[in-house]
């Protein structure tokens, strides 16, 4: 007889041993939870920084500068960029000369000092960021010592309520508004007037220039102009690509840490599944002999026990995935290794992550159940029936 043992046989045995099933599945659920949340955290980081850039915006920095904090753009160079024909014009060129720096602020939760990014910009800078909306208060006025804080800065740092004053750069800066960056990196920034900030920090050069293209497809022409025009010594990148590069270092760290932890924990889960399935084989030796006597082949026995182990793992995987989905309502904050400033981002669950988590649990189930399944398949009919 070559008929396979019905899948219901394997699933029924999981229910019969439901206490050990739940305990083993619980261990696997925790491993899948760690695996899925690390992928969700990485996806949330990339989504936040990619969402910061707009497809028709270009950011211009010094050649070789990885971040705006490291960049310096002379005023004469900034004037050349703003006058290029690929830059959109609505009355005036849609270009914002900007300065980006780090300031230290105390956190609300523990008072510890952490870096926050402050961006000085021209009026066009606000227009260039379509996703940014004011939540409370008003936008800062040009030429004033007023600042607007991002939603995450408002939630994490102390002394940033509307009407409160921050002291940095030898001046007092009044908070006049709170902005929502649409779950982008701007939620973790503070905005103010570029000239006021440059005077306060005695800066003679800008950090970057952000321009809007007349058409997104004109980027290649703009990039070619940067290469061919000897007067321009700067580098131009699409804003979305620039911010995606900002996530590289932290993304790599999250992936390595998360997958290493999941790998270590999965060893324990696989051992747990193996022990559970070994006990199942030992308690059902006579049953295995009966199945063999009825004509079921060794391969059918092997597949039945392997299906039982995989079913156990999928149950754990689904529970772990449900637990991980709850993390979508949590926002995580840490230092971005590229900019050395505090960056807040959430956990993002996608179908790709869900499928990867279930496949990971199936791999654990196969790895944990293979040895007991092979052992069950190798038991002889006489030996098995003698045990009864």
């Amino acid at each position: 007889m070559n008929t396979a043992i019905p899948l219901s046989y394997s699933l029924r045995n999981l229910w019969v041993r439901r206490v050990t099933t739940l305990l083993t599945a619980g261990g696997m659920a925790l491993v899948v939870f760690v695996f899925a949340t690390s992928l969700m955290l990485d996806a949330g980081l990339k989504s936040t920084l990619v969402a910061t850039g707009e497809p028709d915006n270009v950011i211009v920095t010094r050649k070789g500068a990885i971040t705006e904090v490291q960049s310096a753009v002379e005023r004469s160079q900034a004037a050349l960029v703003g006058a290029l024909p690929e830059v959109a014009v609505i009355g005036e060129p849609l270009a914002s000369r900007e300065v980006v720096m780090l300031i230290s602020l105390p956190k609300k939760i523990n008072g510890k000092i952490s870096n926050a990014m402050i961006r000085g910009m021209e009026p066009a800078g606000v227009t260039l960021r379509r996703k940014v909306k004011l939540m409370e208060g008003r936008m800062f006025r040009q030429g004033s010592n007023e600042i607007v804080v991002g939603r995450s800065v408002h939630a994490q740092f102390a002394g940033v309520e509307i009407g409160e004053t921050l002291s940095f750069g030898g001046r007092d800066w009044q908070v006049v508004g709170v902005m929502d960056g649409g779950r982008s990196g701007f939620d973790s920034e503070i905005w103010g007037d570029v000239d006021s900030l440059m005077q306060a920090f005695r800066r003679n050069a800008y950090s970057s220039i952000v321009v809007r293209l007349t058409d997104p497809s004109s980027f290649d022409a703009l990039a070619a102009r940067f290469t061919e025009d000897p007067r321009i010594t700067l580098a131009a990148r699409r804003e979305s690509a620039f911010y995606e590069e900002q996530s590289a270092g932290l993304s790599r760290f999250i992936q390595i840490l998360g997958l290493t932890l999941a790998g270590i924990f999965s060893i324990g889960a696989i051992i747990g599944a193996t022990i559970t399935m070994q006990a199942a084989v030992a308690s059902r030796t006579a049953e295995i002999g009966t199945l063999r006597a009825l004509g079921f082949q060794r391969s059918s026995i092997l597949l039945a026990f392997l299906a039982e182990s995989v079913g156990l793992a999928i149950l754990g995987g689904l529970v772990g995935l449900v637990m991980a989905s709850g993390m979508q309502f949590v926002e995580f904050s840490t230092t971005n290794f590229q900019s050395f400033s505090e960056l807040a981002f959430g956990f993002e669950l996608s179908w790709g992550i869900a499928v990867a988590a279930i496949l990971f649990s199936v791999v654990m189930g196969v790895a944990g159940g293979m040895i007991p399944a092979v052992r069950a398949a190798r038991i002889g009919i006489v030996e098995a029936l003698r045990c009864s």
Side-chain angles (χ1 to χ4, degrees), residues 30-154:
L30 289 176
V31 177
V32 172
F33 172 77
V34 173
F35 178 78
T37 50
S38 64
L39 295 181
M40 289 167 62
L41 193 60
D42 182 46
L45 167 67
K46 289 176 177 172
S47 174
T48 297
L49 286 178
V50 171
T52 306
E54 306 222 10
D56 52 353
N57 283 356
V58 173
I59 186 164
V60 180
T61 60
R62 174 178 59 80
K63 281 183 178 175
I66 299 173
T67 67
E68 292 174 278
V69 176
Q70 301 169 339
S71 174
V73 178
E74 299 297 332
R75 291 175 184 270
S76 58
Q77 292 281 301
L80 283 173
V81 173
L84 293 175
E86 289 80 11
V87 177
V89 177
I90 301 179
E92 294 183 356
L94 278 178
S96 174
R97 294 170 293 185
E98 303 188 348
V99 62
V100 177
M101 295 168 291
L102 300 177
I103 60 173
S104 298
L105 295 176
K107 284 195 163 184
K108 281 182 180 176
I109 191 168
N110 53 19
K112 288 185 177 178
I113 300 298
S114 185
N115 287 335
M117 183 177 287
I118 184 163
R119 179 183 298 275
M121 60 174 60
E122 294 183 303
V126 179
T127 308
L128 287 167
R129 277 67 182 226
R130 301 183 182 95
K131 297 174 185 172
V132 178
K133 309 291 181 188
L134 269 179
M135 293 171 58
E136 300 176 48
R138 58 175 175 81
M139 192 54 71
F140 62 88
R141 291 177 299 187
Q142 297 298 310
S144 69
N145 286 359
E146 296 176 343
I147 52 175
V148 172
V149 299
R151 181 179 54 83
S152 298
V153 173
H154 182 255

Side-chain angles (χ1 to χ4, degrees), residues 112-304:
K112 288 185 177 178
I113 300 298
S114 185
N115 287 335
M117 183 177 287
I118 184 163
R119 179 183 298 275
M121 60 174 60
E122 294 183 303
V126 179
T127 308
L128 287 167
R129 277 67 182 226
R130 301 183 182 95
K131 297 174 185 172
V132 178
K133 309 291 181 188
L134 269 179
M135 293 171 58
E136 300 176 48
R138 58 175 175 81
M139 192 54 71
F140 62 88
R141 291 177 299 187
Q142 297 298 310
S144 69
N145 286 359
E146 296 176 343
I147 52 175
V148 172
V149 299
R151 181 179 54 83
S152 298
V153 173
H154 182 255
Q156 294 174 34
F157 291 100
V160 292
E161 296 295 332
I162 293 178
E164 290 190 303
T165 300
L166 297 178
S167 296
F168 55 84
R171 296 186 185 184
D172 292 333
W173 304 79
Q174 186 181 18
V175 180
V176 297
V178 180
M179 59 184 178
D180 180 359
R183 296 179 70 87
S184 69
F186 295 130
D187 283 328
S188 302
E189 292 190 358
I190 301 172
W191 287 3
D193 175 59
V194 64
D195 294 324
S196 299
L197 283 166
M198 289 181 71
Q199 289 172 14
F201 285 91
R202 299 177 181 175
R203 292 279 299 265
N204 295 318
Y206 300 105
S207 301
S208 62
I209 312 148
V210 180
V211 301
R212 177 163 299 162
L213 298 170
T214 53
D215 185 272
S217 61
S218 60
F219 174 75
D220 291 340
L222 181 77
R225 199 176 295 280
F226 273 66
T227 305
E228 297 165 0
D229 192 335
R231 298 174 301 163
I232 303 176
T233 57
L234 304 171
R237 282 169 281 185
R238 285 190 187 274
E239 199 178 36
S240 53
F242 175 82
Y243 283 109
E244 188 173 6
E245 291 174 12
Q246 303 297 297
S247 68
L250 187 54
S251 171
R252 197 176 305 115
F253 173 76
I254 291 172
Q255 285 181 358
I256 293 173
L257 179 64
L259 296 182
T260 301
L261 286 176
I264 293 171
F265 292 160
S266 68
I267 295 172
I270 289 171
I271 292 173
T274 302
I275 292 172
T276 300
M277 294 308 299
Q278 287 281 29
V281 172
S283 64
R284 286 152 55 193
T285 303
E287 190 176 306
I288 293 169
T290 303
L291 290 170
R292 290 295 314 281
L294 290 173
F296 288 102
Q297 301 295 315
R298 293 181 187 274
S299 59
S300 299
I301 302 291
L302 184 143
L303 289 176

